[in-house]
Amino acid sequence: MAAPGEAVSPRGGQCPLGGARPSTLRCAPQCWEVREHNSSEWCHFIRSNPDCRLDGGFLDYLDGVFCVFPPRLLPLAVTLYALWLLYLFIILGVTAEKFFCPNLSAISTNLKLSHNVAGVTFLAFGNGAPDVFSAVVAFSDPRTAGLAIGAVFGAGVFVTTVVAGGIALVKPFTAASRPFLRDVIFYMVAVFLTFVVLYLGRIRLGEALGYLGLYVFYVLTVVLCTWIHRRQRGDGLAPPGAWEPEMPTDVEEPEPSSTNSGDYGEEYRPLLPSRESSLCILASALSPLDYRKWRRKPWYWRLFKAFRVPVELVLLLTVPVVDPDKDDLNWKRPLNCLHIVTSPLLCVLTLKSGAYGLYQIQGIFPVWALVTLVASALGLIIFITTSNEEPPKYHCVFAFLGFLASAMWINAAATELVNILRTLGIIFQLSNTVLGLTLLAWGNSIGDTFSDLTMARQGYPRMAFSACFGGIIFNILVGVGLGCLLQMTSSQPLVKLEPDSPLVWVLAGALGLSLVFSLSPQSRCCPHSWSPTAPWCGCWPGRWG
């Protein structure tokens, strides 16, 4: 509510009554008003209005669309921005799938974590990295916080309706066991907590820590349920190997396939091992294409791969990957030594959009040059003291370096993604909630959609159905909690959340209704298998009624 003597602007800004507006951000014209001015004034309005400044990012999209392109070419600018938006989603997906997740898996193995703990911590972080980084970037600016809220609720509605329904259509299956009930209850609590902080209009330090604490409680619950499960089964199943996936006991076995597409390379394997030169190893390691696979794939796969090749090539140059499934742990001496230089350089040039990397020490020597010199010396030492055939004992350190470098890539892409979505919202005069609900939520969920549907087609519909809810629990609790916590300072230990559209409440209600419908068929349980831990840890050996 506006205080007496104040007037409320159309989208929530408040200015004193009478006289000219003070030259402050709160009372200045808001950026979405640019389209209400004459086209000849667009560029001056954008450059003179503090509300039109994009925080972070390498490109100024507002200046580009309103100053670089003439007004008559606005449709062309929007088309180019839409294509760049799609490519940013490709960058996020490739980075998370091929670089971020494998390194997280290697880290969890080196730390000797169980599959369940790794699945709800490291691997959940890998799968939800685009969502979490997008939320952190969006919460960094009150003007874009609506993007994060819309994306959180939009992804929840999308996953619990479209993805879950698609799994049931692809592979019909009997109802899931009670771990599904555990996940739905935790997610309902998270949604209710988000509804409360939106109603209050702010999130304080205790509430942000409450989000993270609830996720820690969820992880502990999963670990405890797994331990109880194995005790009640009498440890009938041998624990999986170091890299053997742990399958639920009630999933169907996948149907055997008559052909194995992975066996085509047997005829190309040399009879005798041969030593390759460092130059050949570097050239083969930097090739993002498997030519045997390229010849077997259809034309649309080749077209999509052609768009991914530039991204994969840059990532191969800057992000090391440790793969425990390979005998040599994916040790490529010349490329890994090059990573010693390129990965730290990438980190300093992408942190705060290069502000730290371009900083000059004593006004003379830039930070990026110092990092290059130190990293080059270290890379040369590693190259001299190692061999091409055997990885060094400290090779696991490259997994942490790859994790950091891929995280910086994802953060940079997420920053550009949020900025371009805000630009499109200003062009079309759309609220951030609508953009988060549609473009951001769908774009970040499309990878999970394909992976879950593929898992269902391969004969694991219950696993895919459980993955739907496990992923969004991590996204809402860690995305909102960590995103708000990182923006709090000692002088202002709170983050203001001002919904810019009634659609937020509609989204919250729709998500709650979706969860109730998901939960209602599971209200009956087999009575002969009830146990005190049943509501949380499962109904063994029975199934849902």
Side-chain angles (χ1 to χ4, degrees):
M1 296 294 293
E6 289 184 339
V8 181
S9 65
R11 293 204 180 184
Q14 296 177 351
C15 298
L17 288 174
R21 296 183 176 187
S23 57
T24 62
L25 176 62
R26 188 169 182 80
C27 297
Q30 297 194 11
C31 195
W32 63 269
E33 300 174 6
V34 61
R35 296 294 302 277
E36 299 178 357
H37 290 71
N38 192 292
S39 60
S40 60
E41 301 175 356
W42 286 354
C43 184
H44 178 265
F45 183 91
I46 291 294
R47 290 179 174 176
S48 60
N49 191 347
D51 189 48
C52 295
R53 294 173 185 167
L54 299 177
D55 294 333
F58 293 93
L59 300 175
D60 191 340
Y61 298 102
L62 285 171
D63 188 83
V65 72
F66 290 111
C67 297
V68 176
F69 286 89
R72 65 179 182 276
L73 293 182
L74 182 62
L76 175 62
V78 172
T79 302
L80 294 177
Y81 279 16
L83 294 175
W84 175 233
L85 180 68
L86 294 176
Y87 205 69
L88 285 173
F89 281 121
I90 293 177
I91 294 174
L92 284 173
V94 172
T95 308
E97 176 189 359
K98 292 199 169 185
F99 297 87
F100 194 74
C101 290
N103 282 314
L104 282 179
S105 300
I107 290 174
S108 66
T109 298
N110 288 318
L111 296 179
K112 294 179 171 55
L113 299 178
S114 68
H115 290 289
N116 289 282
V117 177
V120 297
T121 54
F122 282 102
L123 299 184
F125 186 33
N127 293 332
D131 308 81
V132 172
F133 278 97
S134 298
V136 170
V137 173
F139 278 119
S140 65
D141 189 343
R143 297 169 298 180
T144 57
L147 277 174
I149 298 299
V152 163
F153 285 148
V157 173
F158 182 81
V159 169
T160 56
T161 55
V162 177
V163 180
I167 292 172
L169 290 175
V170 168
K171 187 77 173 180
F173 62 101
T174 55
S177 57
R178 289 192 185 172
F180 167 69
L181 174 62
R182 174 198 63 207
D183 292 343
V184 171
I185 291 177
F186 268 100
Y187 190 53
M188 292 181 72
V189 172
V191 172
F192 178 76
L193 182 59
T194 307
F195 184 87
V196 170
V197 298
L198 282 176
Y199 178 78
L200 297 176
R202 84 299 182 263
I203 178 169
R204 298 185 182 275
L205 178 61
E207 292 155 346
L209 293 177
Y211 273 93
L212 300 178
L214 183 59
Y215 186 73
V216 172
F217 181 59
Y218 171 70
V219 172
L220 295 177
T221 303
V222 172
V223 174
L224 178 63
C225 291
T226 303
W227 180 76
I228 295 176
H229 183 118
R230 288 178 176 173
R231 275 185 68 95
Q232 292 193 1
R233 293 183 63 88
D235 294 325
L237 292 179
W243 283 89
E244 178 186 349
E246 184 175 11
M247 299 299 181
T249 58
D250 58 348
V251 299
E252 303 88 344
E253 292 295 329
E255 296 182 2
S257 176
S258 57
T259 60
N260 188 357
S261 59
D263 295 335
Y264 283 92
E266 290 293 331
E267 58 184 302
Y268 297 97
R269 185 171 298 171
L271 297 177
L272 296 176
S274 60
R275 288 193 173 186
E276 293 182 300
S277 64
S278 297
L279 187 60
C280 292
I281 294 176
L282 180 62
S284 63
L286 286 177
S287 175
L289 285 176
D290 184 347
Y291 295 102
R292 297 189 297 271
K293 188 176 181 180
W294 175 272
R295 291 195 297 265
R296 301 196 307 268
K297 292 295 183 178
W299 65 270
Y300 53 85
W301 184 92
R302 298 184 187 184
L303 180 62
F304 184 65
K305 183 67 174 180
F307 284 106
R308 292 174 45 147
V309 162
V311 179
E312 293 181 2
L313 182 59
V314 175
L315 289 170
L316 285 171
L317 276 169
T318 54
V319 182
V321 176
V322 177
D323 188 358
D325 287 336
K326 296 183 178 180
D327 294 335
D328 60 353
L329 304 178
N330 200 38
W331 166 250
K332 311 293 182 184
R333 184 177 69 145
L335 181 58
N336 288 140
C337 292
L338 182 62
H339 287 150
I340 296 295
V341 180
T342 57
S343 294
L345 193 59
L346 164 75
C347 293
V348 298
L349 290 179
T350 54
L351 190 63
K352 290 292 183 181
S353 303
Y356 293 142
L358 299 177
Y359 176 78
Q360 293 186 345
I361 304 173
Q362 299 293 328
I364 300 175
F365 202 70
V367 172
W368 67 265
L370 177 63
V371 171
T372 302
L373 288 177
V374 174
S376 298
L378 182 60
L380 183 61
I381 293 174
I382 294 177
F383 187 82
I384 294 174
T385 57
T386 56
S387 64
N388 292 333
E389 291 75 23
E390 184 178 355
K393 294 182 179 179
Y394 51 83
H395 186 222
C396 61
V397 176
F398 283 87
F400 291 90
L401 181 62
F403 162 75
L404 180 61
S406 54
M408 296 306 298
W409 270 116
I410 293 176
N411 182 67
T415 302
E416 300 299 319
L417 184 69
V418 170
N419 285 342
I420 199 170
L421 284 176
R422 180 167 183 259
T423 301
L424 293 176
I426 291 172
I427 293 174
F428 295 107
Q429 297 184 338
L430 298 174
S431 70
N432 288 326
T433 305
V434 173
L435 292 171
L437 164 67
T438 54
L439 295 178
L440 188 58
W442 297 343
N444 285 338
S445 301
I446 197 69
D448 294 338
T449 301
F450 284 116
S451 62
D452 290 340
L453 293 180
T454 301
M455 192 183 302
R457 282 195 298 267
Q458 292 176 350
Y460 303 106
R462 293 192 189 94
M463 186 189 301
F465 199 68
S466 299
C468 290
F469 291 89
I472 54 181
I473 290 173
F474 177 87
N475 293 343
I476 189 172
L477 291 179
V478 179
V480 177
L482 185 62
C484 293
L485 187 64
L486 293 178
Q487 309 313 320
M488 295 181 182
T489 60
S490 56
S491 60
Q492 189 178 9
L494 62 86
V495 174
K496 293 183 179 180
L497 300 177
E498 299 178 358
D500 55 2
S501 171
L503 184 62
V504 172
W505 311 112
V506 177
L507 280 176
L511 182 55
L513 193 62
S514 170
L515 291 175
V516 169
F517 278 126
S518 299
L519 196 59
S520 57
Q522 318 301 335
S523 57
R524 293 183 295 116
C525 176
C526 43
H528 62 275
S529 57
W530 180 264
S531 67
T533 58
W536 298 100
C537 303
C539 183
W540 305 294
R543 302 290 182 95
W544 287 96

